[in-house]
Amino acid sequence: VAYFVLYYLFIGYQAVVIFRVSSEYKKKGERFQRYYNAGDHRILAADRTVGNMLEQMVPFISLFWLYVVFVDPHFGSTLGWVYVASRFTYPFLYKNTWRGKPRLKVLASTVTNYAVIVFFVVGLAKKGLS
């Protein structure tokens, strides 16, 4: 449930950012075109937050459920919380590393998420081989 709550929070975050940036353009008398202004760091951060979550949604959800059903429900749920907590940090890490600085901070979120997914795969493979 927490994963899907976070997903909809990110969708809302994306909508709010787009609304605010488009309002700024209107106040300046400039035309706002959603995809032609993608260079705006705020829009890019919001888009990447939602995009990255969507890219990893199917692997995470499917492997999470397989792991908790066939391997270990307690440890699987702990890893699920680690994944959600790490995913929650993504927009903050991405947004705060955009302005000309290396985006290495965002790797703290993505690498943690990939590690959880790999752990699920390895656990399922071990269970399948035993």
Side-chain angles (χ1 to χ4, degrees), residues 102-122:
R103 289 187 239 164
L104 295 177
K105 288 181 184 177
V106 79
L107 290 177
S109 175
T110 56
V111 169
T112 302
N113 291 155
Y114 292 145
V116 169
I117 288 172
V118 168
F119 193 91
F120 287 155
V121 169
V122 170

Side-chain angles (χ1 to χ4, degrees), residues 16-63:
V16 167
V17 168
I18 291 167
F19 178 77
R20 285 182 179 168
V21 172
S22 68
S23 295
E24 288 175 15
Y25 274 79
K26 286 179 186 174
K27 285 180 184 175
K28 292 188 238 176
E30 298 177 17
R31 184 174 175 202
F32 176 78
Q33 295 179 349
R34 168 71 174 94
Y35 294 102
Y36 294 104
N37 297 323
D40 186 289
H41 69 279
R42 297 163 298 177
I43 291 177
L44 185 59
D47 287 348
R48 287 310 312 140
T49 296
V50 172
N52 193 270
M53 189 159 190
L54 286 171
E55 291 163 5
Q56 298 303 315
M57 186 178 282
V58 172
F60 170 70
I61 295 296
S62 58
L63 291 168

Side-chain angles (χ1 to χ4, degrees), residues 8-9 85 125 130:
Y8 285 108
L9 285 174
S130 61

Side-chain angles (χ1 to χ4, degrees), residues 41-112:
H41 69 279
R42 297 163 298 177
I43 291 177
L44 185 59
D47 287 348
R48 287 310 312 140
T49 296
V50 172
N52 193 270
M53 189 159 190
L54 286 171
E55 291 163 5
Q56 298 303 315
M57 186 178 282
V58 172
F60 170 70
I61 295 296
S62 58
L63 291 168
F64 169 74
W65 279 106
L66 288 169
Y67 190 90
V68 298
V69 169
F70 295 112
V71 180
D72 184 347
H74 299 292
F75 192 61
S77 65
T78 300
L79 287 175
W81 279 110
V82 167
Y83 188 95
V84 170
S86 176
R87 176 63 49 200
F88 176 79
T89 66
Y90 187 94
F92 303 104
L93 295 172
Y94 194 97
K95 184 171 72 171
N96 292 331
T97 60
W98 171 252
R99 297 181 183 171
K101 299 176 186 173
R103 289 187 239 164
L104 295 177
K105 288 181 184 177
V106 79
L107 290 177
S109 175
T110 56
V111 169
T112 302

